[in-house]
Every structure is written in C-alpha cells, then in structure tokens.
Amino acid sequence: MPIVASDLALFRSLFFHRSDVHAEMFRFKSGSRFGDIGYSPACDNRWVKPLCNDGKCRQCRNFLATALSDEVLHQHFRGERTLGTYLVDRQQQVNLLVLDVDIDKAQTEHPEVYRERVKELTRHLYGLAGQHGLTAYIENSGNKGYHLWLFFESAIPAAQAQTLGAWL
C-alpha cells in the first residue's frame, strides 16, 4: 500500500512536532556498548570528512540538523531508516506522552517471566490512565517490552506531561 501525502501529514501531526530536527538510530561499533542501539540528532554533515567529528555530534562544531523531509519519512516506512522524534516543541510543549516499559537488560535468567511482568505492568498503567479519563494505546516495542502512548487534544507544557508520566 503506497504512503500518500495525507498519511505523511497525519504521521507528522501525531509524532513529529518539529520539522527542523529529528533523530536517527545507530549501532555502537566499538567499546563497552558495542552492538547496542542508540539515537542521535540527524546531521547533514554526519560522516562527511573533514566536517564530521566521527559521529560524536555533541562535541561537533559543524552539526547541521537534517530537516524531516517526506523522503526521510518514506525511508522510515520502507524500513531503510529508524527515526526518533523530539516531542518537545520550541514553546516547551508536547501533545503526547509515551512511556517505555521494558525488561531490564540485566535480567537474563527467565526472560519469559520478566516479559510477562512487563506486560502486566503495561496493562496496569493502561487501566490507570483509563480510570482518569486518559485514552492510551499500547504498542509492542519489540522483544524488550511495550510503549504506552497518550495523545492530548491540544499541546500542554512538557513539564506537566513529565509530571503525569512520573505519576503513572
């Protein structure tokens, strides 16, 4: 099924509140986190010599945020890129809250038991949100756990959403 302009507009309105910057997933290629997944701001100068500081974006003087284009979104939907979003807009507001409920990486024995506990916790949080009039959606985030998404009718201060997340 082709992705049309209205699909992209809906996706942007739900998940991307800034078109000037987004994050992209990467895998650590060395060190103690070898093979782990991370996210960093997408940069037009990434891996461009001599401008790039070997992917160390936080220390780079030449960081140039990559805008979120329709083509980048198409690549995400085709599975060619995994994107991350910055939920807080320039006015320090958000229109969604997402809780990441995962299995602790240190729990290597009996992962099925921990997976079940994470599922129960996610269902509990879902029910708690519903009891307080909040509509929540559960997403399986892969092998490690779940995301619990809460969308607000209009943007609220990010600090208020953070307080809600901590309360849940």
PDB file of all heavy atoms in Angstrom, residues 75-100:
ATOM      1  N   GLN A  75      11.545   6.669   3.679  1.00  0.00           N
ATOM      2  CA  GLN A  75      12.612   5.715   4.004  1.00  0.00           C
ATOM      3  C   GLN A  75      12.320   5.009   5.329  1.00  0.00           C
ATOM      4  O   GLN A  75      12.569   3.810   5.466  1.00  0.00           O
ATOM      5  CB  GLN A  75      13.961   6.429   4.060  1.00  0.00           C
ATOM      6  CG  GLN A  75      14.434   6.899   2.713  1.00  0.00           C
ATOM      7  CD  GLN A  75      15.642   7.812   2.803  1.00  0.00           C
ATOM      8  OE1 GLN A  75      16.067   8.221   3.880  1.00  0.00           O
ATOM      9  NE2 GLN A  75      16.194   8.162   1.647  1.00  0.00           N
ATOM     10  N   HIS A  76      11.763   5.739   6.283  1.00  0.00           N
ATOM     11  CA  HIS A  76      11.379   5.139   7.566  1.00  0.00           C
ATOM     12  C   HIS A  76      10.305   4.066   7.342  1.00  0.00           C
ATOM     13  O   HIS A  76      10.412   2.949   7.858  1.00  0.00           O
ATOM     14  CB  HIS A  76      10.876   6.232   8.505  1.00  0.00           C
ATOM     15  CG  HIS A  76      10.346   5.729   9.802  1.00  0.00           C
ATOM     16  ND1 HIS A  76      11.169   5.259  10.800  1.00  0.00           N
ATOM     17  CD2 HIS A  76       9.077   5.617  10.272  1.00  0.00           C
ATOM     18  CE1 HIS A  76      10.420   4.881  11.835  1.00  0.00           C
ATOM     19  NE2 HIS A  76       9.158   5.092  11.533  1.00  0.00           N
ATOM     20  N   PHE A  77       9.291   4.386   6.568  1.00  0.00           N
ATOM     21  CA  PHE A  77       8.204   3.433   6.320  1.00  0.00           C
ATOM     22  C   PHE A  77       8.665   2.225   5.513  1.00  0.00           C
ATOM     23  O   PHE A  77       8.100   1.142   5.660  1.00  0.00           O
ATOM     24  CB  PHE A  77       7.026   4.120   5.631  1.00  0.00           C
ATOM     25  CG  PHE A  77       6.244   5.009   6.551  1.00  0.00           C
ATOM     26  CD1 PHE A  77       6.085   6.351   6.267  1.00  0.00           C
ATOM     27  CD2 PHE A  77       5.674   4.515   7.709  1.00  0.00           C
ATOM     28  CE1 PHE A  77       5.371   7.178   7.117  1.00  0.00           C
ATOM     29  CE2 PHE A  77       4.960   5.328   8.572  1.00  0.00           C
ATOM     30  CZ  PHE A  77       4.807   6.663   8.270  1.00  0.00           C
ATOM     31  N   ARG A  78       9.679   2.410   4.677  1.00  0.00           N
ATOM     32  CA  ARG A  78      10.227   1.279   3.914  1.00  0.00           C
ATOM     33  C   ARG A  78      11.208   0.455   4.735  1.00  0.00           C
ATOM     34  O   ARG A  78      11.735  -0.548   4.263  1.00  0.00           O
ATOM     35  CB  ARG A  78      10.911   1.791   2.643  1.00  0.00           C
ATOM     36  CG  ARG A  78       9.964   2.321   1.589  1.00  0.00           C
ATOM     37  CD  ARG A  78      10.655   2.555   0.248  1.00  0.00           C
ATOM     38  NE  ARG A  78      11.782   3.451   0.312  1.00  0.00           N
ATOM     39  CZ  ARG A  78      11.777   4.736  -0.059  1.00  0.00           C
ATOM     40  NH1 ARG A  78      10.659   5.287  -0.518  1.00  0.00           N
ATOM     41  NH2 ARG A  78      12.868   5.468   0.011  1.00  0.00           N
ATOM     42  N   GLY A  79      11.492   0.879   5.959  1.00  0.00           N
ATOM     43  CA  GLY A  79      12.421   0.146   6.818  1.00  0.00           C
ATOM     44  C   GLY A  79      13.873   0.442   6.534  1.00  0.00           C
ATOM     45  O   GLY A  79      14.753  -0.268   7.020  1.00  0.00           O
ATOM     46  N   GLU A  80      14.167   1.498   5.792  1.00  0.00           N
ATOM     47  CA  GLU A  80      15.542   1.843   5.447  1.00  0.00           C
ATOM     48  C   GLU A  80      16.204   2.696   6.523  1.00  0.00           C
ATOM     49  O   GLU A  80      17.433   2.763   6.591  1.00  0.00           O
ATOM     50  CB  GLU A  80      15.562   2.596   4.107  1.00  0.00           C
ATOM     51  CG  GLU A  80      15.056   1.742   2.958  1.00  0.00           C
ATOM     52  CD  GLU A  80      14.774   2.554   1.710  1.00  0.00           C
ATOM     53  OE1 GLU A  80      15.101   3.765   1.671  1.00  0.00           O
ATOM     54  OE2 GLU A  80      14.208   1.983   0.766  1.00  0.00           O
ATOM     55  N   ARG A  81      15.416   3.371   7.342  1.00  0.00           N
ATOM     56  CA  ARG A  81      15.900   4.210   8.446  1.00  0.00           C
ATOM     57  C   ARG A  81      14.950   4.031   9.619  1.00  0.00           C
ATOM     58  O   ARG A  81      13.755   3.859   9.429  1.00  0.00           O
ATOM     59  CB  ARG A  81      15.867   5.695   8.092  1.00  0.00           C
ATOM     60  CG  ARG A  81      16.889   6.157   7.131  1.00  0.00           C
ATOM     61  CD  ARG A  81      16.776   7.664   6.978  1.00  0.00           C
ATOM     62  NE  ARG A  81      17.845   8.158   6.127  1.00  0.00           N
ATOM     63  CZ  ARG A  81      18.072   9.425   5.905  1.00  0.00           C
ATOM     64  NH1 ARG A  81      17.318  10.349   6.462  1.00  0.00           N
ATOM     65  NH2 ARG A  81      19.066   9.799   5.135  1.00  0.00           N
ATOM     66  N   THR A  82      15.500   4.104  10.823  1.00  0.00           N
ATOM     67  CA  THR A  82      14.665   4.138  12.019  1.00  0.00           C
ATOM     68  C   THR A  82      14.819   5.519  12.626  1.00  0.00           C
ATOM     69  O   THR A  82      15.927   5.946  12.932  1.00  0.00           O
ATOM     70  CB  THR A  82      15.081   3.048  13.026  1.00  0.00           C
ATOM     71  OG1 THR A  82      14.958   1.773  12.389  1.00  0.00           O
ATOM     72  CG2 THR A  82      14.207   3.089  14.258  1.00  0.00           C
ATOM     73  N   LEU A  83      13.704   6.209  12.749  1.00  0.00           N
ATOM     74  CA  LEU A  83      13.718   7.593  13.200  1.00  0.00           C
ATOM     75  C   LEU A  83      13.298   7.713  14.656  1.00  0.00           C
ATOM     76  O   LEU A  83      12.565   6.878  15.172  1.00  0.00           O
ATOM     77  CB  LEU A  83      12.766   8.438  12.350  1.00  0.00           C
ATOM     78  CG  LEU A  83      13.001   8.438  10.846  1.00  0.00           C
ATOM     79  CD1 LEU A  83      11.974   9.334  10.159  1.00  0.00           C
ATOM     80  CD2 LEU A  83      14.411   8.883  10.508  1.00  0.00           C
ATOM     81  N   GLY A  84      13.746   8.774  15.265  1.00  0.00           N
ATOM     82  CA  GLY A  84      13.293   9.181  16.585  1.00  0.00           C
ATOM     83  C   GLY A  84      12.761  10.594  16.487  1.00  0.00           C
ATOM     84  O   GLY A  84      13.093  11.332  15.560  1.00  0.00           O
ATOM     85  N   THR A  85      11.931  10.944  17.421  1.00  0.00           N
ATOM     86  CA  THR A  85      11.306  12.263  17.389  1.00  0.00           C
ATOM     87  C   THR A  85      11.651  13.047  18.644  1.00  0.00           C
ATOM     88  O   THR A  85      11.920  12.461  19.692  1.00  0.00           O
ATOM     89  CB  THR A  85       9.778  12.130  17.239  1.00  0.00           C
ATOM     90  OG1 THR A  85       9.194  13.423  17.154  1.00  0.00           O
ATOM     91  CG2 THR A  85       9.156  11.382  18.400  1.00  0.00           C
ATOM     92  N   TYR A  86      11.658  14.342  18.513  1.00  0.00           N
ATOM     93  CA  TYR A  86      11.799  15.232  19.659  1.00  0.00           C
ATOM     94  C   TYR A  86      10.395  15.721  19.980  1.00  0.00           C
ATOM     95  O   TYR A  86       9.788  16.449  19.191  1.00  0.00           O
ATOM     96  CB  TYR A  86      12.760  16.383  19.354  1.00  0.00           C
ATOM     97  CG  TYR A  86      14.164  15.871  19.144  1.00  0.00           C
ATOM     98  CD1 TYR A  86      14.658  15.640  17.874  1.00  0.00           C
ATOM     99  CD2 TYR A  86      14.959  15.567  20.238  1.00  0.00           C
ATOM    100  CE1 TYR A  86      15.943  15.127  17.701  1.00  0.00           C
ATOM    101  CE2 TYR A  86      16.240  15.055  20.070  1.00  0.00           C
ATOM    102  CZ  TYR A  86      16.712  14.835  18.791  1.00  0.00           C
ATOM    103  OH  TYR A  86      17.967  14.330  18.618  1.00  0.00           O
ATOM    104  N   LEU A  87       9.868  15.271  21.095  1.00  0.00           N
ATOM    105  CA  LEU A  87       8.473  15.540  21.433  1.00  0.00           C
ATOM    106  C   LEU A  87       8.226  16.980  21.848  1.00  0.00           C
ATOM    107  O   LEU A  87       7.123  17.490  21.696  1.00  0.00           O
ATOM    108  CB  LEU A  87       8.011  14.607  22.554  1.00  0.00           C
ATOM    109  CG  LEU A  87       8.106  13.116  22.247  1.00  0.00           C
ATOM    110  CD1 LEU A  87       7.638  12.314  23.450  1.00  0.00           C
ATOM    111  CD2 LEU A  87       7.295  12.768  21.016  1.00  0.00           C
ATOM    112  N   VAL A  88       9.235  17.631  22.384  1.00  0.00           N
ATOM    113  CA  VAL A  88       9.062  18.988  22.917  1.00  0.00           C
ATOM    114  C   VAL A  88       9.264  20.004  21.793  1.00  0.00           C
ATOM    115  O   VAL A  88      10.296  20.003  21.120  1.00  0.00           O
ATOM    116  CB  VAL A  88      10.050  19.252  24.074  1.00  0.00           C
ATOM    117  CG1 VAL A  88       9.848  20.640  24.652  1.00  0.00           C
ATOM    118  CG2 VAL A  88       9.903  18.189  25.160  1.00  0.00           C
ATOM    119  N   ASP A  89       8.260  20.867  21.615  1.00  0.00           N
ATOM    120  CA  ASP A  89       8.382  21.880  20.566  1.00  0.00           C
ATOM    121  C   ASP A  89       9.149  23.103  21.096  1.00  0.00           C
ATOM    122  O   ASP A  89       9.593  23.119  22.245  1.00  0.00           O
ATOM    123  CB  ASP A  89       7.007  22.246  19.992  1.00  0.00           C
ATOM    124  CG  ASP A  89       6.096  22.974  20.977  1.00  0.00           C
ATOM    125  OD1 ASP A  89       6.573  23.485  22.017  1.00  0.00           O
ATOM    126  OD2 ASP A  89       4.881  23.029  20.696  1.00  0.00           O
ATOM    127  N   ARG A  90       9.282  24.110  20.289  1.00  0.00           N
ATOM    128  CA  ARG A  90      10.072  25.293  20.660  1.00  0.00           C
ATOM    129  C   ARG A  90       9.438  26.097  21.799  1.00  0.00           C
ATOM    130  O   ARG A  90      10.105  26.893  22.445  1.00  0.00           O
ATOM    131  CB  ARG A  90      10.295  26.181  19.441  1.00  0.00           C
ATOM    132  CG  ARG A  90      11.189  25.521  18.408  1.00  0.00           C
ATOM    133  CD  ARG A  90      11.577  26.527  17.337  1.00  0.00           C
ATOM    134  NE  ARG A  90      12.416  25.935  16.337  1.00  0.00           N
ATOM    135  CZ  ARG A  90      13.731  25.756  16.465  1.00  0.00           C
ATOM    136  NH1 ARG A  90      14.337  26.120  17.562  1.00  0.00           N
ATOM    137  NH2 ARG A  90      14.425  25.219  15.490  1.00  0.00           N
ATOM    138  N   GLN A  91       8.150  25.879  22.054  1.00  0.00           N
ATOM    139  CA  GLN A  91       7.467  26.557  23.161  1.00  0.00           C
ATOM    140  C   GLN A  91       7.449  25.689  24.424  1.00  0.00           C
ATOM    141  O   GLN A  91       6.707  25.969  25.359  1.00  0.00           O
ATOM    142  CB  GLN A  91       6.021  26.910  22.764  1.00  0.00           C
ATOM    143  CG  GLN A  91       5.908  28.011  21.724  1.00  0.00           C
ATOM    144  CD  GLN A  91       6.279  27.526  20.328  1.00  0.00           C
ATOM    145  OE1 GLN A  91       5.968  26.410  19.934  1.00  0.00           O
ATOM    146  NE2 GLN A  91       6.971  28.376  19.586  1.00  0.00           N
ATOM    147  N   GLN A  92       8.242  24.618  24.424  1.00  0.00           N
ATOM    148  CA  GLN A  92       8.336  23.693  25.557  1.00  0.00           C
ATOM    149  C   GLN A  92       7.005  23.006  25.834  1.00  0.00           C
ATOM    150  O   GLN A  92       6.624  22.794  26.979  1.00  0.00           O
ATOM    151  CB  GLN A  92       8.846  24.417  26.818  1.00  0.00           C
ATOM    152  CG  GLN A  92      10.224  25.036  26.646  1.00  0.00           C
ATOM    153  CD  GLN A  92      11.275  23.982  26.312  1.00  0.00           C
ATOM    154  OE1 GLN A  92      11.442  23.030  27.045  1.00  0.00           O
ATOM    155  NE2 GLN A  92      11.966  24.142  25.195  1.00  0.00           N
ATOM    156  N   GLN A  93       6.290  22.645  24.754  1.00  0.00           N
ATOM    157  CA  GLN A  93       5.004  21.962  24.869  1.00  0.00           C
ATOM    158  C   GLN A  93       5.052  20.637  24.121  1.00  0.00           C
ATOM    159  O   GLN A  93       5.873  20.444  23.217  1.00  0.00           O
ATOM    160  CB  GLN A  93       3.889  22.837  24.314  1.00  0.00           C
ATOM    161  CG  GLN A  93       3.809  24.167  25.023  1.00  0.00           C
ATOM    162  CD  GLN A  93       2.395  24.673  25.136  1.00  0.00           C
ATOM    163  OE1 GLN A  93       1.478  24.195  24.493  1.00  0.00           O
ATOM    164  NE2 GLN A  93       2.210  25.665  25.974  1.00  0.00           N
ATOM    165  N   VAL A  94       4.156  19.730  24.507  1.00  0.00           N
ATOM    166  CA  VAL A  94       4.030  18.428  23.853  1.00  0.00           C
ATOM    167  C   VAL A  94       2.552  18.132  23.631  1.00  0.00           C
ATOM    168  O   VAL A  94       1.693  18.682  24.313  1.00  0.00           O
ATOM    169  CB  VAL A  94       4.648  17.297  24.711  1.00  0.00           C
ATOM    170  CG1 VAL A  94       6.135  17.503  24.905  1.00  0.00           C
ATOM    171  CG2 VAL A  94       3.946  17.159  26.050  1.00  0.00           C
ATOM    172  N   ASN A  95       2.267  17.282  22.662  1.00  0.00           N
ATOM    173  CA  ASN A  95       0.886  16.835  22.523  1.00  0.00           C
ATOM    174  C   ASN A  95       0.766  15.324  22.676  1.00  0.00           C
ATOM    175  O   ASN A  95      -0.260  14.743  22.355  1.00  0.00           O
ATOM    176  CB  ASN A  95       0.247  17.342  21.230  1.00  0.00           C
ATOM    177  CG  ASN A  95       0.824  16.709  19.995  1.00  0.00           C
ATOM    178  OD1 ASN A  95       1.832  16.032  20.069  1.00  0.00           O
ATOM    179  ND2 ASN A  95       0.200  16.948  18.865  1.00  0.00           N
ATOM    180  N   LEU A  96       1.824  14.707  23.203  1.00  0.00           N
ATOM    181  CA  LEU A  96       1.741  13.297  23.530  1.00  0.00           C
ATOM    182  C   LEU A  96       2.750  12.967  24.615  1.00  0.00           C
ATOM    183  O   LEU A  96       3.702  13.698  24.855  1.00  0.00           O
ATOM    184  CB  LEU A  96       1.957  12.414  22.300  1.00  0.00           C
ATOM    185  CG  LEU A  96       3.362  12.317  21.701  1.00  0.00           C
ATOM    186  CD1 LEU A  96       4.110  11.135  22.280  1.00  0.00           C
ATOM    187  CD2 LEU A  96       3.270  12.166  20.204  1.00  0.00           C
ATOM    188  N   LEU A  97       2.480  11.849  25.257  1.00  0.00           N
ATOM    189  CA  LEU A  97       3.386  11.296  26.252  1.00  0.00           C
ATOM    190  C   LEU A  97       3.531   9.824  25.912  1.00  0.00           C
ATOM    191  O   LEU A  97       2.545   9.156  25.595  1.00  0.00           O
ATOM    192  CB  LEU A  97       2.790  11.455  27.654  1.00  0.00           C
ATOM    193  CG  LEU A  97       3.489  10.731  28.803  1.00  0.00           C
ATOM    194  CD1 LEU A  97       4.869  11.308  29.060  1.00  0.00           C
ATOM    195  CD2 LEU A  97       2.635  10.819  30.069  1.00  0.00           C
ATOM    196  N   VAL A  98       4.736   9.322  25.944  1.00  0.00           N
ATOM    197  CA  VAL A  98       4.946   7.895  25.707  1.00  0.00           C
ATOM    198  C   VAL A  98       5.798   7.346  26.845  1.00  0.00           C
ATOM    199  O   VAL A  98       6.799   7.939  27.222  1.00  0.00           O
ATOM    200  CB  VAL A  98       5.593   7.615  24.323  1.00  0.00           C
ATOM    201  CG1 VAL A  98       6.946   8.273  24.184  1.00  0.00           C
ATOM    202  CG2 VAL A  98       5.688   6.127  24.052  1.00  0.00           C
ATOM    203  N   LEU A  99       5.330   6.245  27.393  1.00  0.00           N
ATOM    204  CA  LEU A  99       6.077   5.546  28.438  1.00  0.00           C
ATOM    205  C   LEU A  99       6.699   4.304  27.824  1.00  0.00           C
ATOM    206  O   LEU A  99       6.028   3.547  27.110  1.00  0.00           O
ATOM    207  CB  LEU A  99       5.145   5.153  29.589  1.00  0.00           C
ATOM    208  CG  LEU A  99       4.421   6.293  30.276  1.00  0.00           C
ATOM    209  CD1 LEU A  99       3.476   5.747  31.341  1.00  0.00           C
ATOM    210  CD2 LEU A  99       5.395   7.271  30.896  1.00  0.00           C
ATOM    211  N   ASP A 100       7.953   4.080  28.089  1.00  0.00           N
ATOM    212  CA  ASP A 100       8.703   2.935  27.583  1.00  0.00           C
ATOM    213  C   ASP A 100       8.824   1.940  28.736  1.00  0.00           C
ATOM    214  O   ASP A 100       9.519   2.203  29.710  1.00  0.00           O
ATOM    215  CB  ASP A 100      10.078   3.399  27.108  1.00  0.00           C
ATOM    216  CG  ASP A 100      10.807   2.357  26.301  1.00  0.00           C
ATOM    217  OD1 ASP A 100      10.184   1.375  25.870  1.00  0.00           O
ATOM    218  OD2 ASP A 100      12.019   2.534  26.093  1.00  0.00           O
TER     219      ASP A 100
END
